[in-house]
Amino acid sequence: MDEDYLDIYGWYGILHQILVVSIFVLIGSVECAKSDGSACVLDHGYGASSSLLNLSKVEGDWGGFLNKNSCAGPFEEYLYALAWHTSQTGDIFLNSDEQSDCLTTINGPGTDDVGCGIEKLTKGGGGCSDFSVKDVNNRLGDDFRSMKEKCELEDQGKNQDQSCGSCLRSWEGIKGTYFGNDEPTESESYMCKFAVLVSLISTKIDDEIWIHKTFGCLMDQNQTPMKEVSPDSGAPVPKEKRKISKRTRIIFGIALGILMVVIIPIYLFSRGCCKPNTRKKDDALRFALPKDSGHLKFSIKEVYSATNNLHTTNFIGEGIAGKVYKGILRNNQHVAIKQITDEGYTETFFRELKSLSKVRHPNLVALLGYCRHKDECFLLYELCPNGNLSEWIFGKDKRLSWVHRLKIAINCARGLCFLHNYPKGCIVHRDIKPTNILLGANFEAKLSDFGLSKVIDIGESYKSSEVRGTFGYVDPEYQNTRRVDPSGDVYSFGVVLLQIISGRKVINMNMNTPMPLHKMAKSLTRNDSIRGFADPALEGDYSEQAFSLTFKLALSCTTRKKERPSMDKVTIKLEEALDISITASSSTPLTTPDSYSSPT
């Protein structure tokens, strides 16, 4: 199972929604592209400056071709778009369907564009209506070259009126081609005139000043020729300031939609690493607690009522994830309530729920319920009135007899054995230490704090992204390989067992060179001085045979991974040591922990 499954589960719902929304945005962009792009094959405005796109006030009938003078502006925009299309495709005129679509998109406020006569420039209309640029060069080559020469209007040495007149005469001289024995009709001649003009413009599509002057000459010779457009006049504007076309906007919209699909999840992931998300917690919580788990959800009111508003008199301990309070529920049940206050450890809340939601054993602390209110998380456990093992091993006023120490060790071993052989997956605790071993009313030991636990398949291992655990209790081989398996718990238990029989800290800081407890114990075997390792608080009241067996068992747990016993074998050996101890002391009444001190 994945260690971060709960976090991934929480993000799944968020990312699913983001992806769906982003896909709809993307589809919308594509649909816009389809609707806008298919409405007209001509791209009105692509690359053109304002001088060619704001011609609504221009008037002229192009020698009678247009039905209205007011149609001149929209018509010139149409011609420019048609020439641009020709420069890309080699075709000149549009078919009837394409023409119908495009005439509805021509810019001409207040103008009935369809009634201007532009529709006459349609394929299938006779004359040169089916010509391509290649056909113009082959069959109207002389007219094309003449118009190209006569309409060189950018020559500043010529009189503008004279130059414009030459251009107009060249235009009027285009009669078209004879089809059969019939002379071209007027409409057929116009088709050929515009075929030549559009072909010529397509070769000069980037020369907007020339196009602007040519349109001015040809739209109506009776009007005053259009003034020359200089770069300083503000029109046409430079290419880099040209209007963004509709197609460009569509492409930009599609690109933006794709970026939303990619960037938004990354952004939320980066924020989610630093800030808890309520929805994520709810989703993970629903996953962590199966419906048949039997756990209760407590309200924040019940939590505060049980602990007298988390009063300091009910404070019983604190860990890296938060504080622990004792409390009394309405049914008079005594509980321990863990408050997870550090946002960085919220994952432990879900991990403990997952690990203990259906797991029940006499040597595991029982999880009774939970409470989540806004950013506050609480876990409610059975209360173990005698505190934790660390208090009894290292406390100055608390002592445990040898037999009770063995019983506590056996309880811990049984709890671990149950976890490692759990039918639905081996549960590795990963943080076995005296403070995580709680003592019940009869000093029965219960493993607690499953915030670092990991569930894996029995017989398998898992490579962790980082080393988890408490310094001094972490398996050195796990530190090197980061492979999580039950042997790591066996090592930690071995260190705890050495502490139980010696009353020593995990690292001896009183020596010139600090030494881990298991190494110090191993060095004693070479000098045959095991007795010196026993806790002085025992005052020699223990079976040497049982002590030696327990001592060697602890060392076997901290040896190389392949040589460590399973928790099943550890349990059997400890029970053997207990039997030896009970037999050896059968003639002497056992001293209970209560006779040494009163539990607080």
Side-chain angles (χ1 to χ4, degrees):
M1 297 183 186
D2 193 340
E3 183 174 24
D4 298 317
Y5 184 79
L6 295 179
D7 290 336
I8 294 174
Y9 183 89
W11 277 110
Y12 175 79
I14 298 173
L15 292 181
H16 180 265
Q17 294 180 38
I18 294 171
L19 188 59
V20 170
V21 172
S22 300
I23 288 175
F24 272 110
V25 172
L26 181 58
I27 292 174
S29 300
V30 173
E31 289 301 319
C32 287
K34 287 181 179 179
S35 61
D36 288 346
S38 62
C40 178
V41 296
L42 302 183
D43 197 352
H44 293 281
Y46 185 76
S49 68
S50 59
S51 63
L52 291 173
L53 296 176
N54 190 19
L55 298 167
S56 60
K57 296 182 180 180
V58 174
E59 293 188 354
D61 63 1
W62 284 74
F65 176 77
L66 296 177
N67 298 332
K68 306 173 186 177
N69 284 351
S70 61
C71 292
F75 181 53
E76 291 177 18
E77 290 183 31
Y78 170 85
L79 286 178
Y80 182 84
L82 190 64
W84 181 272
H85 182 261
T86 299
S87 70
Q88 303 298 311
T89 65
D91 294 326
I92 299 176
F93 300 112
L94 307 180
N95 61 41
S96 58
D97 291 335
E98 294 170 335
Q99 188 77 292
S100 177
D101 290 336
C102 290
L103 289 180
T104 61
T105 63
I106 297 176
N107 295 320
T111 303
D112 181 10
D113 301 328
V114 178
C116 287
I118 303 175
E119 65 277 4
K120 290 180 287 186
L121 297 182
T122 305
K123 276 186 178 182
C128 302
S129 63
D130 294 319
F131 274 26
S132 64
V133 173
K134 184 177 181 180
D135 293 328
V136 169
N137 288 328
N138 291 338
R139 303 177 66 175
L140 296 174
D142 291 340
D143 294 324
F144 179 86
R145 287 184 288 273
S146 174
M147 193 168 183
K148 181 178 180 181
E149 177 184 353
K150 300 298 183 182
C151 294
E152 290 292 333
L153 304 175
E154 69 273 23
D155 188 350
Q156 300 297 321
K158 294 184 178 181
N159 180 276
Q160 286 295 308
D161 290 342
Q162 180 181 353
S163 178
C164 190
S166 298
C167 180
L168 181 59
R169 286 191 294 273
S170 176
W171 159 266
E172 291 176 341
I174 301 173
K175 300 298 182 181
T177 58
Y178 289 85
F179 297 89
N181 297 319
D182 298 328
E183 184 177 349
T185 63
E186 183 180 29
S187 61
E188 290 174 340
S189 294
Y190 271 120
M191 291 296 295
C192 293
K193 283 182 171 64
F194 283 109
V196 172
L197 178 62
V198 171
S199 298
L200 182 58
I201 294 174
S202 71
T203 65
K204 293 174 165 289
I205 199 66
D206 292 326
D207 193 346
E208 294 181 6
I209 294 178
W210 177 85
I211 296 173
H212 201 76
K213 291 178 179 179
T214 301
F215 284 168
C217 287
L218 301 181
M219 68 177 178
D220 195 342
Q221 181 63 20
N222 294 326
Q223 292 191 24
T224 303
M226 297 184 69
K227 293 182 179 180
E228 182 178 356
V229 181
S230 67
D232 297 332
S233 65
V237 296
K239 265 189 178 181
E240 55 269 20
K241 294 184 180 179
R242 290 176 179 179
K243 203 179 216 181
I244 298 175
S245 74
K246 191 180 299 180
R247 182 175 299 168
T248 302
R249 293 194 297 270
I250 293 169
I251 293 173
F252 177 78
I254 294 174
L256 182 61
I258 295 173
L259 286 175
M260 286 179 66
V261 174
V262 177
I263 292 177
I264 292 179
I266 293 175
Y267 170 74
L268 290 180
F269 260 121
S270 65
R271 284 180 61 86
C273 292
C274 305
K275 186 176 181 180
N277 184 282
T278 302
R279 178 62 181 272
K280 180 182 76 171
K281 292 179 181 178
D282 290 338
D283 290 342
L285 188 58
R286 285 194 291 270
F287 170 79
L289 280 182
K291 292 181 179 179
D292 58 346
S293 66
H295 290 81
L296 298 176
K297 180 178 180 180
F298 290 87
S299 67
I300 191 66
K301 183 178 180 181
E302 289 177 293
V303 170
Y304 277 91
S305 175
T307 59
N308 192 19
N309 295 319
L310 303 178
H311 197 274
T312 54
T313 57
N314 289 319
F315 175 77
I316 57 177
E318 184 171 8
I320 57 175
K323 300 178 180 180
V324 181
Y325 298 86
K326 62 182 179 181
I328 303 176
L329 301 179
R330 286 180 297 179
N331 60 1
N332 291 322
Q333 183 177 9
H334 291 256
V335 294
I337 300 178
K338 179 191 290 186
Q339 178 191 29
I340 299 176
T341 55
D342 191 326
E343 293 178 354
Y345 290 92
T346 304
E347 63 176 286
T348 65
F349 174 75
F350 301 115
R351 188 174 283 112
E352 290 211 44
L353 284 174
K354 178 183 177 183
S355 298
L356 296 177
S357 60
K358 298 180 68 176
V359 176
R360 284 287 185 270
H361 190 271
N363 299 121
L364 302 180
V365 66
L367 176 64
L368 304 177
Y370 68 94
C371 171
R372 192 189 64 75
H373 178 71
K374 296 182 179 179
D375 289 332
E376 289 186 288
C377 299
F378 298 90
L379 293 171
L380 285 75
Y381 305 93
E382 63 173 317
L383 180 65
C384 295
N386 283 315
N388 62 62
L389 178 61
S390 179
E391 297 171 1
W392 287 88
I393 294 178
F394 307 118
K396 294 181 180 180
D397 301 325
K398 296 180 180 181
R399 297 179 184 178
L400 291 170
S401 69
W402 170 251
V403 171
H404 275 87
R405 294 186 191 215
L406 284 179
K407 287 182 177 180
I408 289 172
I410 291 172
N411 290 160
C412 293
R414 288 173 178 171
L416 281 175
C417 185
F418 172 80
L419 292 175
H420 292 175
N421 295 282
Y422 189 63
K424 294 187 177 181
C426 170
I427 302 175
V428 182
H429 188 284
R430 291 209 289 176
D431 200 19
I432 298 296
K433 57 185 178 180
T435 54
N436 286 342
I437 299 172
L438 304 183
L439 302 177
N442 297 314
F443 283 85
E444 68 278 16
K446 297 176 180 286
L447 301 180
S448 69
D449 200 343
F450 286 74
L452 298 181
S453 62
K454 174 66 184 172
V455 183
I456 61 176
D457 293 332
I458 295 177
E460 300 294 328
S461 64
Y462 167 80
K463 189 168 185 178
S464 177
S465 59
E466 58 182 331
V467 175
R468 300 290 186 94
T470 302
F471 178 73
Y473 299 92
V474 178
D475 177 10
E477 292 189 45
Y478 163 59
Q479 286 181 296
N480 294 330
T481 65
R482 296 185 180 179
R483 284 285 174 186
V484 177
D485 57 38
S487 66
D489 282 349
V490 175
Y491 176 90
S492 302
F493 177 81
V495 175
V496 172
L497 188 56
L498 288 173
Q499 292 184 293
I500 289 175
I501 65 177
S502 70
R504 300 172 188 262
K505 297 289 187 180
V506 71
I507 301 291
N508 190 342
M509 301 303 293
N510 296 325
M511 302 177 65
N512 293 332
T513 302
M515 182 182 293
L517 184 59
H518 74 282
K519 288 188 176 182
M520 185 176 70
K522 190 175 182 179
S523 69
L524 295 177
T525 60
R526 292 191 292 267
N527 302 324
D528 197 24
S529 56
I530 295 178
R531 286 182 60 89
F533 191 73
D535 188 352
L538 291 172
E539 298 178 346
D541 189 11
Y542 58 88
S543 165
E544 290 189 11
Q545 183 184 359
F547 184 89
S548 177
L549 190 156
T550 306
F551 178 82
K552 292 177 181 179
L553 177 63
L555 287 182
S556 69
C557 290
T558 59
T559 189
R560 289 184 300 177
K561 180 177 179 178
K562 293 182 179 180
E563 300 175 6
R564 296 172 196 165
S566 66
M567 289 310 302
D568 303 70
K569 293 180 179 180
V570 170
T571 303
I572 293 172
K573 283 293 183 179
L574 287 173
E575 289 173 344
E576 181 183 340
L578 178 62
D579 290 341
I580 294 172
S581 298
I582 291 175
T583 301
S585 61
S586 59
S587 59
T588 304
L590 293 176
T591 306
T592 65
D594 291 331
S595 66
Y596 286 99
S597 64
S598 298
T600 56

